[in-house]
Amino acid sequence: MKKQTQMYYGADYNPEQWSKEVILEDMVLMKEAGVNYVSINIFGWVSIQPNETTFDFDFLDWLIDLLYKNDIMIDLANGTASPPAWLVHKYPDMMPMTVHGNRLVHGSRQHYCPTSDVYRQYAAALSSEVAKRYHDHPGIVMWHINNEYTCHIHECYCDRCRSRFQQWLKEKYQTIATLNSAWSTTFWSQSYGDWHEIYLPEEMPTFKNPAQQLDYARFISAMNLEIYQIEKAAIAAYSKEIPFMTNLMGLHKYVDGFKWATEMDVVSWNSYPNPFNEMPYPQFLANDLTRSLKKKPFLIMEQAPSAVNWRAVNGAKKAGQMRLWSYEAIAHGSDGIMFFQWRQSKGGAEKFHSAVVPHGEPKESRVFKESCQFGNELKKLQAVVGTTFIADAAIVFDWENWWALELDAKPRKLKYIHQLSRLYEALSGLNLTVDFVHPDEDISGYSFVIAPNLYSASSSFGKKIEEYVTRGGIFLTNFFSGIVNEHDQVYLGGYPGLFKDVLGLTVEEFYPLKDSMHGQISFDGQTFTTHLWEEVIHLDHATALAHFNNDHLPGVPAITSNQYGDGYAYYIGTELAPADLAIVLTKIIQDNDLHKATEEFIEGTTPVSVTCRKGKDYSLLFLLNHTDSTHQIVLKKKGYSILDETNVTELEVDAKNVQIIKFSHTSDHK
Ligand code: GLA
Ligand code: ZN
């Protein structure tokens, strides 16, 4: 398998839109910007297959050779992201259908039904042709399958999807009785006698069966994964040495990343934080989540050099913002930074999306100049490639829980990513680094495991947590966790059924709050404001660390701790502001003597963000200053600043700036 040896830096490159003259100019500009990697042919279908019987690779042959001659590595897409008009015209039935029964038409992109055999066959045929022609070209370092699966099409209600859903359910449940039981169909007289009676969860008079909705979400992710697998298999018939990936979307609801990642050699994601947001925690945590899918370095496959074109107001990235946020990804395990896109389109829907080469003169462009500065700086980061991110704790993340938690008819609307983002903000402030783990993953290597709002989880996960805490693990969960199984059926006997024993408590009743309502809790002599949720907690064996302090829940426990075997299980029965949550987390960390990997390198605490990646015989400390003032860092041992190219024992990290310090495990500091 071809191995990555340098930081990748580059962009989506769509030269189908440009003349050869412009493309030759691009080669010069790419060199200037330090570009060594581009993704091509993502939207190339109609260029290489202008009609059903013609494949025309002249342009792509020329382009691939040109990039190779210019030392630019190629991420070659199979080109299936936007089916050509001739195909749609011939098979209109391949198009997705909305919930209202409208067939979508050609004229945009990603227009295919996730179960269409026509799309699958033609996509596989195109993939074969591309692989046959280019699999042994030395310039190709990556296969880029399709593009952002389910970005636009995350449901389809055509007849074919309905019968495929029935078949998928039959494979899953084997008997209709098992399905009836899993879907709780005795409720509202929903029982089925035959698979053919089952609909997709389309328009219905009122609340839909939640288990049916959950299976539909699983089905959509699975059908798209099948497409990926078909495309990949068509390429793999010719190509063994080139890694496979598709560009994921981080916190994207419709693709179960943990399942998909097993089919990929490298994981990557497209990161589009809003520049108006000073600290875009959801995107920051998506870096950790994406790395965690394989627990290996990942790639930022796309980001905007400045503004996007698809928000209501498309804020531009300020000077330095692109660089700092790129380093945020690198500090959390990314081995490459790519942009969407290289050259700003002249026409089409994305002409106002920023690009490295703008509509105006590149030499006059701040964005181009910053891209050049950053790209050339990345050449110093050779030592970063392939190193392992060191996490202090694990956060349990499950796409299926995301789907289940956000179905309707709950005590209150809760948003999984909002909750995770508040937790992540608190942890970031403490410089406690995290991996995300799937509930089925081994957690025994982590000394601290947090399962935020894990509403839905399997009974085997409950057992795993009991064993983990018995053996000395520290576990933290919060309100509305451990409530239902994977079919959205409640664990009876008092909430949270799954974690009742390990937490040593019972929740009798939920007291959700309106947005404008807030209560208070007292914790260690401090008063915190509650948000969204309160509840009636009864202690079984647990100890209260905080109590609700309001009229309807006076003196009711709000935060608890429970010794269970050799470990402790903590519970927070409300939503807290990140700063308050950080105080609770600090107590848990101190009481249990939990350590951070970075304590080996720096003294005390700092507002600078600190992370660590380890190589074979060295460690790299990433110091990112997201604040507006300079901060002093004192190192515990001598290191080498990769960006400044000097040895250091103490240093200043300027506002919005970054330092990367290398500590050799041998004596030579370089
Ligand atoms: C996505 C797509 C790109 C482009 C960008 C614009 O990430 O993959 O083709 O449309 O969005 O932000
Ligand atoms: Zn369909």
Side-chain angles (χ1 to χ4, degrees):
M1 185 73 66
K2 280 191 187 176
K3 266 191 96 171
Q4 179 176 355
T5 56
Q6 326 169 20
M7 288 296 284
Y8 288 153
Y9 185 64
D12 273 19
Y13 187 37
N14 298 303
E16 303 82 7
Q17 299 169 18
W18 300 101
S19 67
K20 286 196 170 171
E21 203 184 352
V22 172
I23 295 168
L24 292 175
E25 187 199 344
D26 283 336
M27 295 306 111
V28 178
L29 293 172
M30 283 184 189
K31 196 130 281 168
E32 206 175 318
V35 163
N36 62 10
Y37 181 104
V38 293
S39 304
I40 56 168
N41 196 42
I42 295 176
F43 298 103
W45 196 335
V46 80
S47 312
I48 54 179
Q49 192 182 10
N51 58 57
E52 175 143 23
T53 50
T54 314
F55 284 96
D56 177 357
F57 287 110
D58 286 357
F59 173 74
L60 208 50
D61 287 353
W62 175 79
L63 178 73
I64 287 175
D65 286 341
L66 182 71
L67 289 165
Y68 181 60
K69 268 191 242 134
N70 282 280
D71 293 323
I72 295 166
M73 292 174 273
I74 299 162
D75 169 34
L76 181 60
N78 55 345
T80 54
S82 192
W86 58 258
L87 185 64
V88 177
H89 185 67
K90 187 166 179 195
Y91 302 103
D93 176 61
M94 65 169 273
M95 300 296 274
M97 185 173 275
T98 70
V99 73
H100 304 295
N102 297 321
R103 270 231 190 268
L104 302 189
V105 297
H106 181 268
S108 175
R109 67 173 175 184
Q110 202 169 83
H111 38 274
Y112 54 85
C113 153
T115 66
S116 162
D117 292 326
V118 166
Y119 175 71
R120 290 171 177 216
Q121 280 158 18
Y122 280 83
L126 181 69
S127 305
S128 297
E129 292 297 326
V130 171
K132 205 191 310 175
R133 192 160 190 99
Y134 298 115
H135 69 276
D136 58 0
H137 196 289
I140 320 286
V141 298
M142 186 83 79
W143 288 115
H144 185 115
I145 313 278
N146 215 307
N147 191 61
E148 290 195 335
Y149 287 92
T150 77
C151 172
H152 312 299
I153 301 298
H154 36 76
E155 47 187 18
C156 179
Y157 297 95
C158 73
D159 286 345
R160 181 183 42 237
C161 280
R162 183 178 170 203
S163 62
R164 188 68 187 82
F165 185 51
Q166 292 163 349
Q167 188 193 334
W168 183 86
L169 291 168
K170 199 169 167 188
E171 280 156 24
K172 176 169 177 174
Y173 293 108
Q174 306 286 321
T175 71
I176 201 80
T178 316
L179 174 133
N180 279 318
S181 154
W183 283 17
S184 307
T185 54
T186 47
F187 178 79
W188 282 354
S189 186
Q190 289 171 357
S191 301
Y192 297 99
D194 184 88
W195 303 99
H196 295 108
E197 295 164 7
I198 300 170
Y199 282 90
L200 297 167
E202 44 204 284
E203 285 196 296
M204 294 181 187
T206 181
F207 298 120
K208 301 169 192 180
N209 181 317
Q212 183 178 5
Q213 289 175 284
L214 274 180
D215 270 335
Y216 183 65
R218 294 179 180 115
F219 169 75
I220 287 293
S221 178
M223 289 304 103
N224 280 281
L225 181 54
E226 270 187 15
I227 301 176
Y228 171 89
Q229 286 163 324
I230 288 168
E231 296 178 64
K232 179 182 159 186
I235 297 170
Y238 298 96
S239 170
K240 301 276 172 266
E241 298 302 318
I242 301 170
F244 286 98
M245 65 98 214
T246 185
N247 47 359
L248 298 169
M249 283 167 285
L251 295 169
H252 178 69
K253 202 170 172 181
Y254 306 95
V255 161
D256 184 338
F258 280 109
K259 282 217 171 78
W260 283 59
T262 60
E263 295 289 322
M264 291 176 218
D265 299 301
V266 178
V267 281
S268 73
W269 81 286
N270 301 343
S271 174
Y272 290 98
N274 189 336
F276 289 131
N277 187 351
E278 276 290 302
M279 292 294 278
Y281 288 109
Q283 281 78 17
F284 287 179
L285 86 81
N287 289 325
D288 282 324
L289 177 63
T290 307
R291 182 199 67 247
S292 298
L293 298 180
K294 288 191 95 66
K295 308 286 182 297
K296 279 195 344 204
F298 67 99
L299 299 170
I300 293 288
M301 194 52 74
E302 293 178 22
Q303 66 170 3
S306 184
V308 299
N309 67 317
W310 41 262
R311 293 193 173 99
V313 182
N314 296 300
K317 285 185 179 165
K318 293 188 288 245
Q321 209 168 21
M322 177 281 283
R323 176 175 176 268
L324 184 62
W325 288 357
S326 299
Y327 275 119
E328 175 73 22
I330 295 168
H332 288 256
S334 176
D335 277 358
I337 300 289
M338 273 63 73
F339 298 102
F340 180 85
Q341 61 177 330
W342 168 254
R343 184 180 277 274
Q344 194 166 14
S345 303
K346 183 178 170 195
E350 293 186 320
K351 57 188 171 300
F352 293 115
H353 194 294
S354 62
V356 178
V357 180
H359 288 149
E361 259 307 307
K363 310 273 173 215
E364 309 297 325
S365 151
R366 172 186 70 84
V367 168
F368 182 72
K369 284 189 252 179
E370 280 190 36
S371 305
C372 291
Q373 185 280 328
F374 180 56
N376 286 299
E377 185 174 283
L378 280 186
K379 293 175 183 164
K380 296 181 182 174
L381 267 68
Q382 186 84 20
V384 173
V385 179
T387 55
T388 306
F389 181 84
I390 308 297
D392 302 316
I395 297 181
V396 179
F397 184 96
D398 188 2
W399 264 268
E400 299 205 1
N401 176 59
W402 186 358
W403 302 331
L405 182 72
E406 296 186 0
L407 291 176
D408 41 25
K410 298 274 190 303
R412 125 182 273 299
K413 250 196 184 134
L414 290 176
K415 289 284 182 191
Y416 194 37
I417 304 311
H418 172 78
Q419 296 299 326
L420 277 163
S421 169
R422 308 266 277 183
L423 169 67
Y424 191 84
E425 180 175 347
L427 290 164
S428 303
L430 300 174
N431 271 326
L432 196 87
T433 56
V434 292
D435 275 344
F436 286 86
V437 292
H438 184 269
D440 291 345
E441 239 175 287
D442 179 15
I443 51 169
S444 58
Y446 298 97
S447 47
F448 187 20
V449 171
I450 310 175
N453 300 96
L454 194 68
Y455 162 72
S456 162
S458 66
S459 55
S460 61
F461 182 72
K463 285 268 158 314
K464 179 188 284 192
I465 291 301
E466 284 174 6
E467 272 162 38
Y468 169 75
V469 181
T470 305
R471 294 210 185 120
I474 305 304
F475 177 63
L476 168 66
T477 187
N478 62 348
F479 62 100
F480 217 40
S481 294
I483 305 293
V484 299
N485 68 11
E486 51 276 52
H487 304 300
D488 206 38
Q489 292 164 332
V490 172
Y491 289 111
L492 299 178
Y495 310 125
L498 193 60
F499 301 135
K500 237 164 65 83
D501 284 350
V502 75
L503 293 171
L505 55 77
T506 311
V507 175
E508 181 195 339
E509 201 180 351
F510 308 129
Y511 270 65
L513 306 177
K514 291 195 288 187
D515 283 351
S516 56
M517 279 167 76
H518 299 288
Q520 288 187 337
I521 62 169
S522 39
F523 176 84
D524 258 1
Q526 300 166 75
T527 302
F528 300 154
T529 301
T530 63
H531 304 257
L532 301 187
W533 192 281
E534 294 182 349
E535 56 188 21
V536 185
I537 298 174
H538 297 291
L539 304 180
D540 297 330
H541 305 286
T543 314
L545 303 179
H547 294 91
F548 290 110
N549 179 17
N550 55 38
D551 291 344
H552 51 276
L553 297 174
V556 169
I559 303 179
T560 65
S561 149
N562 188 45
Q563 184 170 11
Y564 190 85
D566 292 339
Y568 280 87
Y570 293 84
Y571 183 71
I572 304 177
T574 183
E575 186 193 299
L576 298 175
D580 297 340
L581 187 54
I583 295 171
V584 178
L585 287 164
T586 302
K587 180 172 169 59
I588 297 174
I589 292 164
Q590 282 170 357
D591 286 359
N592 295 289
D593 203 20
L594 297 171
H595 287 284
K596 295 183 247 182
T598 54
E599 282 168 8
E600 189 187 335
F601 305 106
I602 62 162
E603 301 281 358
T605 58
T606 169
V608 170
S609 156
V610 192
T611 58
C612 176
R613 291 180 66 172
K614 279 209 158 94
K616 207 157 161 259
D617 52 8
Y618 56 90
S619 298
L620 296 164
L621 199 68
F622 291 81
L623 303 165
L624 266 75
N625 187 352
H626 290 283
T627 77
D628 290 320
S629 41
T630 300
H631 291 283
Q632 182 86 12
I633 302 283
V634 180
L635 302 175
K636 284 187 177 165
K637 38 190 156 184
K638 190 159 82 174
Y640 174 77
S641 162
I642 285 190
L643 296 177
D644 291 353
E645 301 174 309
T646 55
N647 287 330
V648 280
T649 44
E650 61 184 89
L651 66 154
E652 290 192 336
V653 191
D654 295 334
K656 308 287 181 201
N657 213 334
V658 55
Q659 282 283 354
I660 306 170
I661 312 298
K662 183 175 174 192
F663 298 93
S664 296
H665 299 166
T666 56
S667 54
D668 171 15
H669 281 285
K670 245 176 144 180

